[in-house]
Amino acid sequence: MGSEHLSRRSCRKPLGIRIIENLKGSRLSFKTHQAIVLIVTFLAYASYHATRKTTSIVKSALDPKSPDLGMNFVPLRLSNFTEANGPRRFFGVSGGGWAPFNGSDGTSLLGQLDVAFLSVYSFGMYFSGHLGDRYDLRIFLTVGMLGTGVFTSLFGVGYWGNTHNFYYFLVVQMIAGLFQSTGWPSVVAVVGNWFGKSKRGLIMGVWNAHTSVGNIAGSLIASAMLRYGWGWSFVLPGLISAFVGLVIFLVLPVTPESVGADKEEDEYILPNKSGDEEVEEPLLTPPVGDKAVGFLEAWKIPGVAPFAFCLFFAKLVAYTFLYWLPFYVSHTAIDGQYLSSEAAGTLSTLFDVGGVLGGILAGHISDRLDARAITAASFMYCAIPALYFYRSYGHVSLIVNAALMFITGLFVNGPYALITTAVSADLGTHKSLNGNSRALATVTAIIDGTGSIGAAIGPLLTGYVSAKSWSAVFSMLMAAALTAGLFLTRLVVAEVTAKIEESRSNRGSQEPSHLV
């Protein structure tokens, strides 16, 4: 009977896992499965962001006009510069852009593409976690990645099809957004099935770098492909996404049980308590008998609403940079010259490099201080002067521009990464739930879904406001960063009060020892 059970479990293993075990001649260890999960989910979400980033790189090729944006940069000379008063060169684009995006309302149309994508994405986010709980996450994620690859590529196919119908690009972007909404709930759920609380800070802090790594890879790939035609800037990332989707299907182990990696055999500590000592417990594996927390109940968990609204404004800032930074750089005079679309896309990766460090730094600081709200709010407040200095002093030189872009990315993406990972996990296992762990998926969807609404609004507003003034865009971003921090004020005060009480308590407990 036992052998039959093991045989059935083995049959449920992904084909790739079975092939690896046959070649190896033995079962894969629990730690090997964990490594596979981290690597494959990292690649999956990085590829999601790589396809998401391509639109921002291609914008300046679709709409290459250079209005007077009221900012004069004075950086170093590069071979990819053109004179500010001379003709501008864009790889893969003939006749100055691509209709209908090269008209007077081009920036507004591009902004509408962004908001269409992100609106469907944020709407789909609320349902993806619900569907993922009811279907095999490996299949669910595979379908999402293949769909993302297909519809990202179809956007690029418009180049060879000589397509100039705005609604074609709009519909393709919306469907791509729907498929992309499967990504975050799926990868968080899978990682949560394999890693316990005690490793949350380190694992999620490093693992969350997939967002910035994907943005960087997408920027570099799309920028490099522009010279061959802007369609390739979509098709190649789309093909990569589809390929990673196939890898997911072949090797991703969704849960330890699905591949027969018994936790007991691999010294994985099961969720229980022995005396006063707390032990590791899975993030998302619900105890038997727990009832899933409802949508409205999850909103009432202390801290969910403040962090959700904080992320709304934090992602508004982050996604405005995600979608518009390369466009902004290529449309801004630098020492009387302009960067090409390719060079601007490459330079913009420094924002995401800063984001990698910011995410890890925010997670580390919040772990050491045991103060998520203080850390997130502090980063958002520091983002305000960073945005101001980048807008005001980026013109000094290319080196200064790059340095300020890196610093801005660090402070903008730090709290974004912290809230979507460690904070969501903390709130999903809040003490008010009395041990019920079946709130994490819902809390994650609420926080990131609410944040994604802000992510849709920011690029949309930028599409309209930037046509008149980039200074107004940066003022909007600074106001959003301030608002994000203010939403955490009550939680910050509570954490500071707790720290003061803890400090007094520690001093009080030490006083008798000095008197003895």
Side-chain angles (χ1 to χ4, degrees):
M1 188 74 176
S3 62
E4 291 178 3
H5 178 63
L6 287 175
S7 178
R8 286 197 302 270
R9 287 200 308 185
S10 179
C11 290
R12 293 165 54 195
K13 292 181 182 180
L15 178 61
I17 297 293
R18 280 183 274 162
I19 292 175
I20 294 172
E21 290 184 339
N22 287 335
L23 293 174
K24 184 181 177 183
S26 62
R27 285 179 51 196
L28 297 181
S29 68
F30 191 84
K31 292 186 181 297
T32 301
H33 281 106
Q34 286 182 311
I36 292 173
V37 167
L38 282 181
I39 294 171
V40 174
T41 55
F42 185 97
L43 292 174
Y45 210 69
S47 67
Y48 271 118
H49 263 266
T51 59
R52 205 174 297 175
K53 181 67 175 178
T54 54
T55 306
S56 68
I57 302 299
V58 179
K59 275 178 179 173
S60 52
L62 300 176
D63 179 22
K65 65 181 181 297
S66 180
D68 181 9
L69 300 175
M71 181 175 186
N72 295 313
F73 280 7
V74 193
L76 302 174
R77 303 292 199 278
L78 291 179
S79 59
N80 280 324
F81 279 76
T82 53
E83 293 295 331
N85 297 321
R88 301 193 59 192
R89 181 167 61 93
F90 290 89
F91 296 113
V93 180
S94 59
W98 190 269
F101 305 107
N102 59 352
S104 59
D105 60 344
T107 53
S108 297
L109 292 177
L110 291 170
Q112 289 175 34
L113 288 184
D114 294 339
V115 77
F117 173 92
L118 290 166
S119 295
V120 174
Y121 173 79
S122 58
F123 179 79
M125 181 75 68
Y126 289 112
F127 296 95
S128 291
H130 179 80
L131 292 174
D133 287 339
R134 285 156 176 76
Y135 296 97
D136 186 332
L137 281 172
R138 180 168 60 92
I139 305 299
F140 189 62
L141 188 54
T142 298
V143 171
M145 298 203 67
L146 290 176
T148 296
V150 169
F151 283 92
T152 300
S153 299
L154 283 176
F155 194 104
V157 168
Y159 172 79
W160 293 284
N162 199 28
T163 303
H164 298 281
N165 188 325
F166 171 72
Y167 293 101
Y168 169 82
F169 298 106
L170 182 69
V171 172
V172 167
Q173 279 290 80
M174 291 173 70
I175 299 176
L178 184 62
F179 277 109
Q180 286 224 17
S181 69
T182 63
W184 186 243
S186 298
V187 296
V188 170
V190 173
V191 172
N193 286 336
W194 285 91
F195 294 91
K197 275 186 177 180
S198 66
K199 300 177 182 179
R200 178 181 295 161
L202 176 62
I203 293 296
M204 287 196 161
V206 176
W207 175 74
N208 195 67
H210 50 47
T211 298
S212 295
V213 170
N215 290 341
I216 293 169
S219 296
L220 295 177
I221 293 171
S223 298
M225 290 296 104
L226 276 177
R227 67 181 64 200
Y228 304 109
W230 64 260
W232 284 111
S233 296
F234 287 93
V235 170
L236 185 55
L239 293 175
I240 292 173
S241 177
F243 173 76
V244 176
L246 293 176
V247 173
I248 290 285
F249 177 77
L250 289 174
V251 302
L252 181 64
V254 174
T255 64
E257 293 78 14
S258 68
V259 291
D262 295 326
K263 299 173 185 177
E264 297 89 345
E265 296 176 12
D266 291 278
E267 299 180 353
Y268 187 82
I269 304 175
L270 292 172
N272 57 60
K273 288 189 178 182
S274 176
D276 295 329
E277 184 179 357
E278 292 190 13
V279 295
E280 185 177 357
E281 64 181 78
L283 295 182
L284 292 176
T285 304
V288 178
D290 273 357
K291 181 181 178 181
V293 174
F295 186 79
L296 294 179
E297 292 178 90
W299 271 104
K300 296 177 182 178
I301 297 173
V304 167
F307 274 112
F309 291 121
C310 172
L311 188 63
F312 176 98
F313 290 98
K315 286 190 79 168
L316 186 154
V317 179
Y319 270 67
T320 296
F321 272 86
L322 173 69
Y323 280 100
W324 285 100
L325 181 58
F327 183 91
Y328 171 74
V329 172
S330 67
H331 284 66
T332 305
I334 301 178
D335 192 17
Q337 299 174 327
Y338 289 100
L339 275 173
S340 69
S341 299
E342 181 181 3
T346 302
L347 178 63
S348 70
T349 60
L350 287 173
F351 179 84
D352 295 295
V353 174
V356 173
L357 179 61
I360 296 174
L361 190 62
H364 176 70
I365 292 173
S366 68
D367 280 345
R368 292 293 299 271
L369 297 179
D370 190 24
R372 308 289 196 203
I374 292 174
T375 304
S378 298
F379 269 69
M380 290 312 307
Y381 291 140
C382 288
I384 298 172
L387 288 164
Y388 174 80
F389 285 125
Y390 178 66
R391 171 60 179 164
S392 302
Y393 300 102
H395 64 275
V396 173
S397 72
L398 185 61
I399 294 176
V400 172
N401 182 276
L404 291 175
M405 185 188 296
F406 177 90
I407 294 170
T408 303
L410 186 151
F411 287 119
V412 169
N413 283 341
Y416 163 31
L418 178 66
I419 294 171
T420 55
T421 55
V423 169
S424 295
D426 290 346
L427 294 174
T429 54
H430 194 271
K431 61 184 180 180
S432 66
L433 297 169
N434 297 320
N436 184 350
S437 65
R438 296 190 66 185
L440 183 52
T442 303
V443 168
T444 301
I446 285 174
I447 292 177
D448 202 51
T450 303
S452 295
I453 296 174
I457 293 175
L460 174 66
L461 293 177
T462 301
Y464 290 100
V465 178
S466 64
K468 298 181 180 179
S469 169
W470 276 104
S471 293
V473 171
F474 276 82
S475 296
M476 175 186 74
L477 298 180
M478 287 186 282
L482 174 63
T483 306
L486 290 176
F487 265 109
L488 299 180
T489 300
R490 182 174 60 83
L491 299 179
V492 169
V493 171
E495 287 183 350
V496 171
T497 302
K499 294 296 177 186
I500 294 174
E501 292 297 326
E502 181 182 353
S503 177
R504 289 176 178 173
S505 176
N506 290 336
R507 286 201 303 267
S509 63
Q510 292 173 0
E511 287 178 2
S513 63
H514 295 302
L515 296 175
V516 175

